[in-house]
């Protein structure tokens, strides 16, 4: 019997638990080995996840599990994604317990944001359903390697997604991520752009995919030039621990090229980055100021929009829903 | 104003420390100095033995170029090594030997009078007490090991926790404030209940880190201090001891995390490391109590608190939106400098004129940051740092 959550479509017969180690067959159905088991739950500024154009200034309850369906050689989360999955390291938490924590911690939304959402899909969807009922917005991170059926299900349950598009080429995915075909990821990118609020993250590995920045920019622009795009200065770990760090000045030059195609291009994962704030693409007026604190995201410093519009020219910058000051109280 | 220079390897930027806004401040001699030092001193990483030498080398650079009267140093590598790595007695011996050799090197080359505090031994982790099954919310952050916060518990939760042999005590907010008192901010943030684990146990729950840990601080009722400046009885007395010695003597206050009585290699006195039943463990509280002379409940953050609301000020200082003003580094009439491998705690606790620390989070090595604390140094003079944003 095959799993249909991601495009690996693992055959789970003979007690194989899938590439991600997270599924098994029981009574002719693919089920999770560890349903409602999580590797952690905590609150975070939504900008730190990162989502820059969704609910600015709100707190997110971030959950995650273990395992992954890709095998990125530079993985930053290998202590969670690439470790042997052990039940003892996971917390048993019902959706209700997670949502109670979210309320107590003053969170506005729930985000699956540690590892790949497809490897714990049924539990996440159940959490998303319960969260929606209680008025929480729900989002997730994904590497985009879902099947069409799973992508459809995900789009039904979440309002915002950050998809990691590592490269437009099969060659990169083959050498660095352990899959042969970027096609399904680009297919899902197009699909999510139509259905949910979408942001894209591209980890930049020096001399590996930095030359692809203009090509990725063109691809995003063709789908929707207003999709916020986060370039991520990757400090490789796991199997590429001693690899060089990307040269910021070199990337800066490529950012200027990317900006001609895509309106909202960000560059982060290093402290002090000046490329984490939003300027109006029409008149250049600062719209949202953020401070880069390393890691992938940033901290909101000031939301300068007036009635969700640029204070300089009145252009309506696409942001998902309301700002923090206008948010519906959920706690 | 205060300025921060950030170095993320082959790239630097200068920002207003209070707001994070980019500025140009290159003509300020301390900014220039900081830029030079952090450009040549890459931080090797939290568990890397070379980060011990990094502290000394960086401190020697600062001591030579800035000639401070007070030097604050924190060597946190033994703590991170013990916490996250599988314990290897040979490697541990090497760490202890290196630390004390480095302290000797620093003192020999600078002539500072050293006051060295071992913040306490570490012990193997016995078990993590899982708080996720409770009706209430158990908050177990990376900032505390034996302490966790509990919010909105049910009666059944309290009965269960009170009868758990791994838990030493369950203290309500009211009982805590009756015994300890505390600052308004601290008590406002205090959880409904504080949970205290027995030695060897730590909690896991909301906000716990996802990395596996192998050792945690022991219950160090007493910790060792080496000081030629006189006798001290308690943790809070260190501040007064140094306050009196400065500026007549050039003093280096050196904190070593993860090393206590068992591995301390200098002649020492033992000092009381407690406040009522609370035992200090390697953390922000430990540092601040030493450098301010005030017990932890007069600070801003209780263990296990849930309020992580960050104001727009001081984005590089964790949750702090106002920095403690009574630290030794802010003493009037002295020049002060600090170097540390306990990220933002170093500058918060030191409050030095110039402070260089690693910018590492959860073992991710993000670079280094130098903070130039201008208001004190330029007191009564026009600050050259009033510069237009870049
Ligand atoms: S989700 Fe896991 S088990 Fe299912 S196809 Fe993908 S890797 Fe295989």
């Amino acid at each position: 019997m095959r799993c249909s959550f991601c495009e690996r479509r693992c055959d789970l017969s003979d007690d194989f638990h899938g590439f991600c180690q997270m599924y098994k067959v029981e009574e002719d159905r693919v089920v999770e080995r560890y349903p409602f088991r999580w590797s952690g739950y905590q609150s975070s500024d939504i900008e730190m996840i990162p989502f820059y154009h969704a609910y600015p200034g709100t707190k997110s309850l971030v959950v995650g599990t273990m395992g992954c369906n890709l095998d990125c050689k530079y993985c930053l989360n290998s202590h969670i994604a690439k470790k042997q999955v052990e039940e003892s390291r996971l917390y048993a938490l019902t959706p209700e317990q997670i949502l109670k924590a979210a309320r107590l911690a003053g969170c506005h939304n729930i985000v699956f944001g540690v590892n790949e959402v497809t490897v714990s899909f049924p539990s996440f969807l159940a959490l998303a359903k319960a969260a929606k009922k209680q008025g929480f917005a729900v989002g997730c991170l994904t590497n985009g390697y879902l099947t069409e059926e799973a992508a459809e299900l995900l789009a039904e349950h979440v309002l915002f997604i950050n998809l990691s598009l590592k490269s437009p080429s099969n060659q990169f995915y083959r050498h660095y991520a352990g899959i042969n075909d970027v096609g399904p990821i680009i297919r899902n990118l197009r699909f999510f752009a139509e259905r949910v609020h979408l942001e894209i993250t591209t980890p930049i590995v020096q001399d590996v995919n930095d030359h692809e920045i203009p090509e990725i920019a063109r691809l995003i622009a063709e789908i929707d030039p207003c999709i916020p795009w986060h370039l991520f200065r990757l400090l490789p770990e796991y199997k590429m621990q001693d690899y060089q760090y990307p040269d910021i000045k070199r990337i800066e030059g490529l950012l200027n090229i990317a900006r001609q195609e895509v309106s909202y291009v960000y560059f982060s994962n290093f402290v002090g980055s000046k490329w984490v704030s939003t300027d109006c693409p029409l008149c250049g007026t600062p719209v949202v100021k953020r401070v880069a604190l390393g890691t992938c995201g940033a901290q909101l410093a000031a939301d300068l929009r007036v009635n969700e519009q640029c204070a300089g020219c009145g252009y309506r910058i696409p942001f998902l829903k309301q700002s923090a000051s206008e948010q519906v109280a959920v706690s | 104003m205060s300025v921060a220079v950030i170095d993320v390897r082959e790239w630097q930027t200068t920002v207003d420390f209070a707001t994070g806004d980019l500025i140009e401040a290159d003509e300020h001699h301390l900014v220039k100095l900081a830029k030079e030092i952090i450009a040549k001193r890459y931080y090797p990483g939290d568990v890397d033995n070379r980060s011990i030498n990094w502290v000394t080398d960086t401190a020697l650079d600062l001591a030579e170029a800035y000639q401070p009267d007070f030097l604050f140093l924190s060597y946190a590598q033994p703590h991170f090594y013990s916490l996250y790595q599988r314990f290897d007695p040979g490697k541990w011996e090497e760490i202890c030997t290196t630390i004390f050799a480095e302290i000797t090197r620093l003192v020999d080359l600078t002539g500072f009078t050293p006051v060295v505090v071992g913040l306490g031994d570490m012990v193997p982790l016995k078990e993590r007490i899982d708080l996720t099954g409770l009706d209430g919310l158990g908050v177990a952050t990376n900032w505390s090991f034996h302490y966790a916060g509990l919010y909105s518990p049910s009666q059944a939760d309290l009965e269960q926790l009170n009868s758990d042999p791994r838990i030493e005590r369950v203290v309500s907010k009211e009982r805590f404030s009756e015994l300890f008192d505390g600052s308004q901010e601290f008590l406002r943030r205090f959880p409904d209940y504080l949970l205290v684990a027995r030695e060897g146990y730590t909690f896991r729950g909301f906000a716990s880190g996802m990395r596996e840990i192998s050792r945690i601080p022991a219950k160090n009722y007493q910790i060792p201090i080496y000081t030629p400046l006189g006798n001290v009885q308690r943790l809070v007395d260190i501040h007064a001891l140094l306050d009196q010695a400065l500026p007549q003597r050039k003093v280096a206050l050196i904190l070593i995390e993860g090393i206590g009585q068992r591995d301390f290699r200098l002649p020492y006195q033992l000092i009381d490391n407690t406040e009522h039943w609370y035992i200090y463990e390697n953390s922000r509280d430990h540092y601040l109590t030493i450098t301010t002379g005030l017990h932890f409940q007069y600070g801003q953050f209780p263990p296990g608190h849930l309020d992580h609301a960050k104001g727009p000020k001081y984005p590089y200082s964790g949750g702090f939106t106002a920095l403690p003003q009574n630290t030794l580094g802010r003493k009037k009439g002295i020049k002060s400098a600090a170097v540390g491998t306990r990220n933002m705690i170093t500058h918060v606790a030191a409050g030095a004129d110039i402070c260089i620390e690693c910018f590492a989070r959860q073992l991710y090595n993000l670079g280094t940051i130098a903070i130039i604390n201008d208001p004190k140094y330029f007191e009564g003079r026009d600050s050259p740092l009033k510069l237009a944003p870049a």
Side-chain angles (χ1 to χ4, degrees):
Chain A
M1 177 156 223
R2 289 193 179 273
C3 168
S4 61
F5 292 131
C6 92
E7 287 289 359
R8 280 192 185 273
R9 297 188 187 268
C10 300
D11 180 354
L12 300 181
S13 47
D14 298 330
D15 280 340
F16 180 52
H17 294 140
F19 184 87
C20 63
Q21 314 171 57
M22 297 297 276
Y23 292 103
K24 64 180 179 183
V25 173
E26 213 172 72
E27 292 171 2
D28 284 336
R29 282 187 321 131
V30 173
V31 295
E32 285 172 277
R33 291 173 73 200
Y34 311 109
F36 301 109
R37 295 290 176 117
W38 314 87
S39 58
Y41 67 136
Q42 56 190 297
S43 65
S44 164
D45 292 352
I46 194 164
E47 286 82 5
M48 292 298 285
I49 297 177
F51 286 97
Y52 286 2
H53 287 232
Y55 312 111
T58 59
K59 285 243 170 278
S60 307
L61 190 292
V62 181
V63 291
T65 58
M66 287 184 84
C68 188
N69 56 345
L70 300 191
D71 188 22
C72 301
K73 283 187 180 161
Y74 49 76
C75 183
L76 298 183
N77 258 348
S78 58
H79 59 287
I80 294 161
K82 306 311 301 176
K83 270 270 170 96
Q84 187 68 35
V85 178
E86 289 163 37
E87 197 167 3
S88 61
R89 286 190 62 196
L90 298 168
Y91 304 104
L93 287 163
T94 62
E96 188 41 58
Q97 285 175 304
I98 293 174
L99 298 176
K100 185 175 179 186
R103 280 194 301 276
L104 282 167
C107 296
H108 163 273
N109 50 72
I110 312 293
V111 177
F112 191 103
V114 177
N115 55 327
E116 168 55 30
V117 67
T118 9
V119 305
S120 303
F121 213 47
S123 290
F124 173 66
L125 295 184
L127 170 63
K129 240 184 233 170
K132 199 171 160 188
K133 258 192 205 150
Q134 295 190 21
F136 291 99
V138 182
C140 71
L141 305 185
T142 177
N143 56 40
Y145 199 53
L146 305 83
T147 58
E148 275 179 278
E149 311 91 277
E152 174 63 45
L153 265 175
L154 190 60
E156 281 170 21
H157 286 82
V158 303
L159 288 171
F160 53 107
I161 290 177
N162 189 321
L163 188 149
S164 174
L165 174 66
K166 303 167 200 310
S167 161
S169 78
N170 289 336
Q171 207 189 359
F172 176 95
Y173 275 94
R174 201 171 302 132
H175 285 305
Y176 293 98
I179 58 170
N180 289 324
D181 185 12
V182 67
I185 295 170
I186 294 177
R187 176 195 71 213
N188 290 331
L189 189 67
R190 292 181 194 281
F191 172 74
F192 288 136
E194 301 241 308
R195 293 284 300 270
V196 299
H197 168 82
L198 181 66
E199 305 198 9
I200 295 172
T201 295
T202 300
I204 298 299
V205 190
Q206 176 103 16
D207 292 332
V208 171
N209 67 347
D210 48 346
H211 65 282
E212 294 177 333
I213 290 173
E215 191 184 339
I216 303 174
R218 278 194 297 278
L219 172 69
I220 296 173
E222 182 233 308
I223 297 169
D224 179 353
C226 286
I227 296 175
W229 183 24
H230 305 260
L231 290 125
F232 183 91
R233 184 190 189 225
L234 193 90
L235 315 180
E237 300 225 355
Y238 190 42
K239 296 173 186 167
M240 289 173 70
Q241 223 166 18
D242 298 321
Y243 200 77
Q244 62 187 321
Y245 287 6
D247 180 331
I248 293 171
K249 286 211 177 86
R250 189 159 124 189
I251 309 296
E252 187 181 3
L254 292 164
L255 290 182
N256 294 333
I257 299 172
R259 282 219 180 80
Q260 290 166 15
E261 306 275 354
V262 180
S263 301
Y264 308 104
V265 180
Y266 304 104
F267 183 33
S268 66
N269 201 38
F270 56 101
V271 198
S273 166
K274 57 183 178 188
W275 297 279
V276 293
S277 292
T278 307
D279 293 339
C280 174
L282 292 191
C283 70
T285 301
V287 173
V288 177
K289 274 174 67 180
R290 303 181 189 88
V291 180
L293 298 178
T295 65
C296 45
Q299 184 185 312
L300 180 76
D303 187 344
L304 305 168
R305 292 175 297 157
V306 178
N307 297 327
E308 301 196 16
Q309 293 167 344
C310 165
C313 69
Y315 177 65
R316 182 171 284 269
I317 316 268
F319 274 80
L320 180 62
K321 297 284 179 188
Q322 68 277 50
S323 65
S325 56
E326 298 159 313
Q327 74 179 266
V328 183
V330 290
S331 53
Chain B
M1 78 189 286
S2 300
V3 167
V5 181
I6 295 159
D7 186 290
V8 296
R9 290 202 187 177
E10 282 101 35
W11 186 84
Q12 292 191 338
T13 191
T14 308
V15 297
D16 177 334
F17 181 61
T19 63
D21 288 342
L22 301 174
I23 55 165
E24 278 170 10
D26 282 354
E27 71 270 34
H28 189 306
H29 75 284
L30 284 185
V31 174
K32 251 189 233 163
L33 173 69
K35 283 185 147 191
E36 276 168 30
I37 294 174
I38 61 177
K40 71 174 178 188
R41 302 261 176 238
Y42 287 163
Y43 179 59
D46 285 342
V47 296
D48 193 317
N49 279 21
R50 292 170 301 170
S51 75
I52 298 169
N53 312 93
W54 179 86
V55 174
T56 317
D57 291 335
T58 310
L60 286 170
D61 290 343
L62 272 181
E64 189 189 339
Y66 184 54
Q67 300 282 318
D69 305 296
F70 172 60
L71 195 51
F72 175 87
L73 301 184
S74 102
Y75 292 93
Q77 191 271 354
H79 167 80
F80 290 119
Y81 169 80
S82 299
L83 191 61
Y84 292 117
Q85 305 282 295
R86 197 170 297 231
F87 188 76
D88 171 341
K91 185 136 196 238
W92 181 249
E93 176 56 32
E94 198 186 310
I95 289 169
C96 296
T97 307
T98 308
I99 290 233
F100 288 94
E102 285 293 278
I103 292 170
T104 307
R105 178 164 76 99
L106 180 105
V107 171
D108 287 349
L109 290 170
T110 59
F112 275 87
T113 301
V115 173
V116 185
V117 188
L119 295 182
D121 294 316
M122 307 273 283
V123 292
L125 174 69
K126 286 181 184 156
E127 199 182 354
R128 297 185 83 163
I129 305 166
D130 192 342
L131 300 175
T132 54
L134 301 173
D135 299 324
L137 182 64
V139 179
T141 67
N142 285 340
W143 291 109
S144 306
F145 295 93
H146 292 109
Y147 307 97
L150 179 63
Y151 291 81
S152 301
S154 63
Q155 195 50 41
D157 286 344
L158 294 174
E159 280 164 22
Q160 180 192 322
L161 293 164
N162 273 308
S163 61
D164 190 323
R166 301 166 300 176
I167 294 177
E168 187 181 291
R169 63 183 82 221
V170 177
V171 186
S172 70
K173 183 172 181 162
E174 291 67 38
R175 262 178 50 212
F176 181 92
S177 64
E178 274 165 28
L179 183 62
F180 286 77
D181 190 21
S183 74
Q184 253 187 7
E185 208 175 346
F186 181 96
L187 292 174
R188 178 179 63 75
R189 289 192 170 115
F190 200 89
D192 296 341
Y193 289 84
L194 183 69
L195 308 178
V196 185
R198 293 194 191 281
E199 185 171 82
Y201 296 96
T202 189
F203 297 97
R204 69 173 201 163
F206 187 73
S208 293
M210 293 181 196
R211 290 193 190 268
E212 283 178 278
I213 56 177
S214 66
R215 292 186 157 233
I216 59 170
K219 293 250 174 174
N220 295 292
Y221 289 89
Q222 292 181 308
I223 54 172
I225 180 170
Y226 166 80
T227 166
L229 296 177
N231 283 336
V232 258
Q233 307 292 325
R234 305 171 307 159
L235 200 64
V236 280
D237 298 337
I238 298 172
H239 178 272
L241 183 80
L242 270 77
D243 196 40
Q244 280 159 21
L246 290 163
Q248 294 83 355
R249 294 176 84 152
K250 283 161 86 88
V251 182
L253 173 59
I254 300 168
L255 308 187
I256 312 172
E257 284 196 62
I259 288 184
Q261 224 178 317
R262 199 174 47 211
D263 297 298
F264 205 75
R265 308 270 164 97
L266 290 164
Y268 61 83
Q269 323 167 20
L270 286 173
I271 54 169
D272 183 358
N273 188 41
T274 68
E275 162 74 335
H276 302 299
W277 45 256
Y278 182 87
I279 300 168
Y280 286 92
E281 46 185 21
N282 305 340
S283 75
R284 172 178 56 200
D285 297 339
H286 224 166
Y287 278 66
L288 278 166
T289 299
I290 291 171
T291 60
T292 64
L294 293 171
H295 274 299
F296 74 114
Q297 68 270 32
Y298 300 105
Q300 296 180 29
F301 301 104
H305 74 91
L306 195 50
D307 174 14
H308 294 282
K310 275 194 196 134
K313 258 193 137 182
Y314 301 114
Y316 309 105
S317 302
F320 285 87
T321 50
L323 299 180
Q325 294 299 308
N326 48 348
T327 55
L328 283 162
R330 293 184 193 271
K331 181 179 166 71
K332 288 186 180 167
I334 62 159
K335 286 167 76 177
S336 58
V339 180
T341 51
R342 197 35 133 106
N343 52 59
M344 93 282 283
I345 301 181
T346 311
H347 76 254
V348 172
D353 306 348
I354 179 165
C355 173
I356 296 179
E357 67 196 26
C358 63
F359 208 112
R361 304 285 182 269
Q362 296 279 316
L363 297 187
Y364 294 115
N365 182 3
L366 304 171
T368 43
I369 183 168
I371 295 124
I372 294 108
N373 185 21
D374 187 49
K376 190 197 122 196
Y377 187 61
F378 289 98
E379 209 171 335
R381 287 185 266 168
D382 274 347
S383 165
L385 290 179
K386 286 173 192 156
L387 295 163

